[in-house]
Amino acid sequence: MKLISLIVKLLLLAVFIVLAAFNTKLVGFSYLPGSEINLPLIVLLLIFFIVGAVFGVFSMFGRLLSLRHENNRLRNEVRKNARIAQEGLQTPVPVDAEQPVPAAAPVKE
């Protein structure tokens, strides 16, 4: 499976390198009215990919923080329950404590 994954990654890398090699034509990009910059198409695509990835990370940042908070809360709850269970198992029973007497079973005649 790792070999197939490596082959797919190498094929994708080769496709991207070929695209980069053939997309070197200068294109105009107007970032403000009356302002234009000429860059190779592959550079513009790379810039917009990076900007999109950054916005994607920032959009998920709030959810990531809430999931970390919930994860820490649940871990603390598990530790607390494990500690309570451990203390319950280790509590010695006093010698003079009365043992519950089981109810006598009815006698069938």
Side-chain angles (χ1 to χ4, degrees):
M1 189 66 184
K2 289 183 181 182
L3 180 63
I4 294 172
S5 175
L6 179 65
I7 291 172
V8 169
K9 288 177 185 177
L10 289 175
L11 285 174
L12 282 174
L13 179 63
V15 168
F16 289 139
I17 289 173
V18 168
L19 284 174
F22 288 118
N23 286 310
T24 57
K25 181 179 176 185
L26 292 179
V27 293
F29 176 68
S30 299
Y31 54 93
L32 289 175
S35 300
E36 185 174 316
I37 187 169
N38 291 323
L39 291 172
L41 179 60
I42 192 65
V43 173
L44 280 177
L45 290 175
L46 179 64
I47 289 170
F48 283 113
F49 175 77
I50 292 171
V51 168
V54 168
F55 276 120
V57 167
F58 282 145
S59 69
M60 292 301 296
F61 194 65
R63 179 75 176 143
L64 175 71
L65 289 178
S66 66
L67 288 174
R68 278 190 181 177
H69 175 70
E70 183 178 359
N71 191 10
N72 288 335
R73 182 184 61 80
L74 291 172
R75 281 184 187 190
N76 290 336
E77 186 176 329
V78 166
R79 285 186 191 129
K80 177 182 173 186
N81 289 339
R83 188 180 68 241
I84 289 171
Q86 188 69 18
E87 288 174 358
L89 292 176
Q90 293 179 353
T91 305
V93 177
V95 178
D96 60 342
E98 293 184 25
Q99 299 294 326
V101 178
V107 178
K108 291 186 179 180
E109 294 182 19

